[in-house]
């Protein structure tokens, strides 16, 4: 046996325990999200947490997520695997593997892992909800997908959210634009810092969202994507904007929005929570990724999706004072002064009838058991003392209202509680 540690174990840096009532709030957020997207015909998909490393390398070997942040390791059988840093690649891998009929409209929720430098709103283990649609090349789908993300913010009461949209053009448009951006920054490389020069080498488009003050001049003067869009890409983007206007989803066109992952083409979008500081105000984003299914070994398939950061959505809820955590507690707490058998049986009966019920273990005085009852958040305490036991009764005490306590026949107590709870 390894000896006990000098200090108690703690969760790893950048990873957190989610305790009640926050855990219930997360579950409620996912439930609202699911309800929103299932109204539009999306069904849940649950890909594994771990995939072959190659699945994620398709996200682009020039991205930080892939080069610096992946939890990758050798499996016991020698396979190179990684904990998922996002869900899109795994979902598309599942699409390629199972050949579902298209359009394949799916939603997901789950934990991702990135070895980032932790700070508020940026963790090494974080949760996302999102959707993906495979097999449709229609700008009206882009509108549907973006409108669903918008509706899921509304579903939890978030209001201070801004939608930024852009088009990266077709594959060739993006390549030509990439070249032009590289040439532009190469010509002005004396202005760039060392980190930016490294980015320029790996992924010139990423420089467009550089926040470094010394880059600002070169970024402002950079070529603009709209000058590189093919007529088809421009028409697609027009139709997306028309659709957003028709659905009254407010947006801003953001010509420098390129997003981190390499596989995006045409429509890209991002949601910014204005109630949060700039460091963590990106609460979600997505776009079209035509080409990813092919990269994963499938036939060419159009795809589009988004991922929203659950941790950050909840931070935004805190900042806007909406969607608060609610500690629900139980409905009923049984106080047993006769040895515990009554509490054992009564809680079981109540739970079987769908009433949330709890009790104290190990006995204790009336006073200490009533304290536990108060702490439990229960509406009613059910008291069983020697007198009640002898009379075949239970005393019902209202812990929130001021109704006088009353005796109820033991056989009728479950029905009586249902009546009082209105269930
Ligand atoms: P991405 O997959 O990088 O496009 O991220 C989509 C969303 O997930 C972001 O807008 C964030 O809200 C959230 N997110 C990404 N990385 C993290 C992280 N390390 N910690 C918390 N949330 C994150």
């Amino acid at each position: 046996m390894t000896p006990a540690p000098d200090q108690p174990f703690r969760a790893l840096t950048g990873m957190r325990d989610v305790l009640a009532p926050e855990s219930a709030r997360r579950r409620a957020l996912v439930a609202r999200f699911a309800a929103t997207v299932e109204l539009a015909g999306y069904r849940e998909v649950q890909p594994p947490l771990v995939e072959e490393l190659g699945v994620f390398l398709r996200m682009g070997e020039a991205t930080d997520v892939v080069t610096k942040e992946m939890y990758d390791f050798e499996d016991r059988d020698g396979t190179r695997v990684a904990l998922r840093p996002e869900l899109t690649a795994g979902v598309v891998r599942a699409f390629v593997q199972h050949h579902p009929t298209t359009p394949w409209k799916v939603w997901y929720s789950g934990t991702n892992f990135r070895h980032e430098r932790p700070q508020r709103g940026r963790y090494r283990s974080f949760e996302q909800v999102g959707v993906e649609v495979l097999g449709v090349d229609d700008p009206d789908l882009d509108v549907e997908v973006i409108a669903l993300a918008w509706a899921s913010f509304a579903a939890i009461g978030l209001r201070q959210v801004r939608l930024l949209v852009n088009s990266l053009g077709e594959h060739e448009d993006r390549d030509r634009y990439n070249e032009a951006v590289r040439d532009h920054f190469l010509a002005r490389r004396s202005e760039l810092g060392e980190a930016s020069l490294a980015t320029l080498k790996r992924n010139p488009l990423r420089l467009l969202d550089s926040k470094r003050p010394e880059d600002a001049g070169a970024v402002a003067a950079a070529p603009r994507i709209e000058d590189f869009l093919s007529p088809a890409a421009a028409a697609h983007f027009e139709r997306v904007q028309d659709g957003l206007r028709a659905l009254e989803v407010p947006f801003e066109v953001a010509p420098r929005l390129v997003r981190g992952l390499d596989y995006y083409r045409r429509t890209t979008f991002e949601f910014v929570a204005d109630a949060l500081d700039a460091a963590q105000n990106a609460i979600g984003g997505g776009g079209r990724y035509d080409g990813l299914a092919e990269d994963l070994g499938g036939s060419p398939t159009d795809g589009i999706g988004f991922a929203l950061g659950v941790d950050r959505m909840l931070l935004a809820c805190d900042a806007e004072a909406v969607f608060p955590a609610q500690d629900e507690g139980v409905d009923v707490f049984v106080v047993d002064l006769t040895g515990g058998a009554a509490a054992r049986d009564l809680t079981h009966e109540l739970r079987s009838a769908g009433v949330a019920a709890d009790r104290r273990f190990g006995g204790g005085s009336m006073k200490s058991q009533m304290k536990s009852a108060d702490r439990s958040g229960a509406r009613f305490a059910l008291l069983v003392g020697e007198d009640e036991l002898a009379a075949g009764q239970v005393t019902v005490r209202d812990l929130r209202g001021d109704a006088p306590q009353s005796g109820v026949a033991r056989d009728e107590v479950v029905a009586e509680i249902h009546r009082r709870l209105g269930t």
Side-chain angles (χ1 to χ4, degrees):
M1 275 249 294
T2 40
D6 298 337
Q7 299 286 330
F9 282 118
R10 301 177 58 85
L12 291 168
T13 304
M15 307 212 180
R16 295 152 312 141
D17 302 303
V18 180
L19 308 182
E22 190 63 18
S23 47
R25 186 189 190 204
R26 275 172 184 259
R27 192 149 40 88
L29 183 149
V30 174
R32 296 257 179 116
F33 178 76
T36 304
V37 298
E38 289 193 344
L39 269 183
Y42 292 68
R43 294 289 171 265
E44 188 179 9
V45 60
Q46 301 182 337
L49 264 175
V50 186
E51 299 267 0
E52 241 180 271
L53 179 62
V55 171
F56 302 121
L57 294 182
R58 298 303 178 276
M59 290 159 58
E61 305 199 28
T63 59
D64 284 356
V65 170
V66 168
T67 53
K68 299 195 206 136
E69 298 169 1
M70 203 122 66
Y71 281 86
D72 57 325
F73 55 98
E74 198 160 289
D75 201 350
R76 286 178 191 277
D77 62 11
T79 317
R80 290 298 300 180
V81 300
L83 303 186
R84 65 184 182 211
E86 53 108 57
L87 275 129
T88 304
V91 170
V92 176
R93 195 267 313 133
F95 171 81
V96 168
Q97 181 173 341
H98 301 288
H99 311 288
T101 46
T102 56
W104 196 49
K105 306 209 317 186
V106 296
W107 70 269
Y108 58 73
S109 74
T111 305
N112 300 315
F113 300 88
R114 295 182 193 174
H115 202 274
E116 308 208 53
R117 193 174 320 156
Q119 50 174 286
R120 185 176 142 86
R122 183 175 301 282
Y123 312 106
R124 291 182 176 171
S125 160
F126 63 97
E127 213 182 326
Q128 289 181 334
V129 292
V131 307
E132 309 293 343
V133 184
L134 277 297
V136 181
D137 173 29
D138 183 330
D140 287 356
L141 174 65
D142 305 29
V143 176
E144 171 176 305
V145 163
I146 294 171
L148 283 175
W150 193 253
S152 30
F153 296 129
I156 54 171
L158 276 180
R159 268 185 243 138
Q160 297 171 43
V161 180
R162 261 181 314 126
L163 162 62
L164 311 177
V165 293
N166 191 20
S167 173
L168 295 173
E170 307 292 350
H171 202 100
E172 307 76 41
D173 306 343
R174 182 177 163 151
D175 287 350
R176 279 193 302 125
Y177 182 54
N178 197 38
E179 287 291 302
V181 169
R182 175 185 292 124
D183 291 347
H184 166 79
F185 283 111
L186 272 178
R188 299 180 68 148
R189 63 177 167 272
S190 58
E191 297 168 41
L192 304 177
E194 208 165 297
S196 297
L197 285 172
T199 308
L200 175 57
K201 233 185 212 161
R202 281 189 290 124
N203 193 347
L205 292 184
R206 291 290 348 217
L207 274 183
L208 295 173
D209 55 23
S210 161
K211 307 270 184 313
R212 297 179 198 101
E214 65 272 23
D215 298 346
V219 168
R224 293 167 71 91
I225 182 69
E226 63 250 41
D227 299 326
F228 292 79
L229 295 186
S230 65
H236 185 103
F237 192 34
E238 267 310 310
R239 175 81 186 181
V240 171
Q241 295 179 58
D242 285 347
L244 292 174
R245 281 188 282 266
L247 270 50
E248 295 179 353
V249 177
F251 65 91
E252 299 163 28
V253 174
R256 297 213 175 76
L257 177 66
V258 292
R259 303 200 27 85
L261 308 182
D262 270 3
Y263 51 64
Y264 285 111
R265 303 278 177 259
R266 282 193 269 180
T267 311
T268 58
F269 51 94
E270 204 158 274
F271 297 96
V272 176
D274 282 331
L276 296 177
D277 297 338
Q280 72 264 1
N281 69 359
I283 56 171
R288 275 203 171 269
Y289 46 81
D290 312 351
L292 184 58
E294 214 174 342
D295 284 350
L296 288 165
S299 44
T301 312
D302 300 290
I304 182 169
F306 64 72
L308 311 179
V310 170
D311 309 85
R312 293 201 192 165
M313 283 164 84
L314 290 173
L315 284 176
C317 286
D318 291 340
E320 288 196 35
V322 296
F323 202 62
Q326 278 169 338
D327 214 344
E328 294 281 311
V330 290
D331 300 320
V332 172
F333 197 92
V334 179
V335 171
D336 181 357
L337 302 167
T338 67
R344 178 193 66 202
D345 300 346
L346 194 47
T347 48
H348 180 71
E349 224 175 284
L350 286 158
R351 292 166 189 166
S352 303
V355 177
D358 205 358
R359 55 167 294 191
R360 167 88 161 236
F361 288 98
S365 67
M366 171 81 169
K367 195 167 159 218
S368 67
Q369 293 205 44
M370 283 308 295
K371 225 185 205 167
S372 303
D374 279 332
R375 221 177 300 131
S376 75
R379 272 217 36 212
F380 299 104
L382 299 184
L383 304 148
V384 185
E386 295 299 344
D387 293 348
E388 282 92 348
L389 198 63
Q393 284 214 329
V394 171
T395 297
V396 180
R397 186 181 289 182
D398 191 337
L399 296 176
R400 308 242 191 108
D402 42 20
Q405 67 177 36
S406 57
V408 177
R410 172 70 180 77
D411 293 347
E412 282 156 29
V413 70
V414 173
E416 173 65 15
I417 291 297
H418 265 311
R419 199 183 59 71
R420 293 214 193 180
L421 291 170
T423 50

